[in-house]
Amino acid sequence: MMTVEATADRRRCAGLVAVACVLVTGPRLLLHEFWRDEAWLWLVVTESRSLTDLFVPLGRSGQGYLFPVLCFFAGQLSSSPRAMQLVHLLLVVGGAVAFARWAPFGRRERVLFLVGYFPFYEYAVLSRHYVAGALLVWLACAATRARRPAAPLGVALALLCQTTVYGYILALALACGCWIGRW
């Protein structure tokens, strides 16, 4: 059980990570040129008139529905690809805050992990569904440590199944690990 000071320190660290994440990742997102798969997703999102129109090309793409649906709603507000990048930035900040707040490591290890290659570039700059998967894995791991993990863990795992096939495999592994840990 964490002390009140440790919890407050983790909250401060998560807040600082959120501010740093926005300040460092925001400009990198704006300067990043879309890769073919990012541009394809945005074209599919902007050409879809409804969610059912969106699901038809996604059914053949091999990716889940969570990130494209979030981009679809952002596309209803703006036709600029920056809308997809804003959704991505929100997910990046959420993932960084979740990791900084609940990861069972020291402050230095949490920050060093977040500035590693995958969290700092692959998940932060490239507007793909990976960041949603990372965020949901970290939230699911945090939920397993809660007193009553059923509802938050179930929501995180259900949404994780909608990211990629790897997200589905991770959701099964996390559910089995939680079940074995409780058993």
Side-chain angles (χ1 to χ4, degrees), residues 65-88:
Y65 297 120
L66 179 63
F67 187 66
V69 166
L70 294 174
C71 291
F72 176 79
F73 290 128
Q76 300 302 307
L77 301 174
S78 172
S79 62
S80 171
R82 299 285 182 221
M84 180 169 80
Q85 289 179 320
L86 180 63
V87 168
H88 188 77

Side-chain angles (χ1 to χ4, degrees), residues 2-143:
M2 273 200 255
T3 64
V4 174
E5 295 89 23
T7 302
D9 181 56
R10 283 184 169 267
R11 286 186 181 142
R12 276 192 303 275
C13 179
L16 289 173
V17 163
V19 170
C21 191
V22 169
L23 293 176
V24 172
T25 304
R28 292 184 309 147
L29 269 173
L30 294 175
L31 295 174
H32 169 69
E33 291 184 23
F34 275 5
W35 291 7
R36 187 180 310 170
D37 57 342
E38 296 170 289
W40 175 82
L41 177 60
W42 187 249
L43 288 173
V44 168
V45 163
T46 55
E47 291 176 3
S48 299
R49 299 291 168 236
S50 67
L51 284 175
T52 54
D53 288 346
L54 177 68
F55 293 153
V56 172
L58 290 177
R60 297 183 303 270
S61 72
Q63 61 179 299
Y65 297 120
L66 179 63
F67 187 66
V69 166
L70 294 174
C71 291
F72 176 79
F73 290 128
Q76 300 302 307
L77 301 174
S78 172
S79 62
S80 171
R82 299 285 182 221
M84 180 169 80
Q85 289 179 320
L86 180 63
V87 168
H88 188 77
L89 181 62
L90 292 174
L91 292 172
V92 167
V93 171
V97 167
F99 190 84
R101 172 76 173 86
W102 290 296
F105 306 117
R107 182 186 315 155
R108 183 178 342 142
E109 289 83 7
R110 288 178 281 152
V111 171
L112 285 174
F113 175 80
L114 289 172
V115 297
Y117 173 74
F118 281 102
F120 196 66
Y121 181 70
E122 287 284 334
Y123 302 155
V125 177
L126 305 179
S127 295
R128 295 181 180 155
H129 50 273
Y130 303 135
V131 70
L135 167 64
L136 292 166
V137 164
W138 296 332
L139 289 176
C141 289

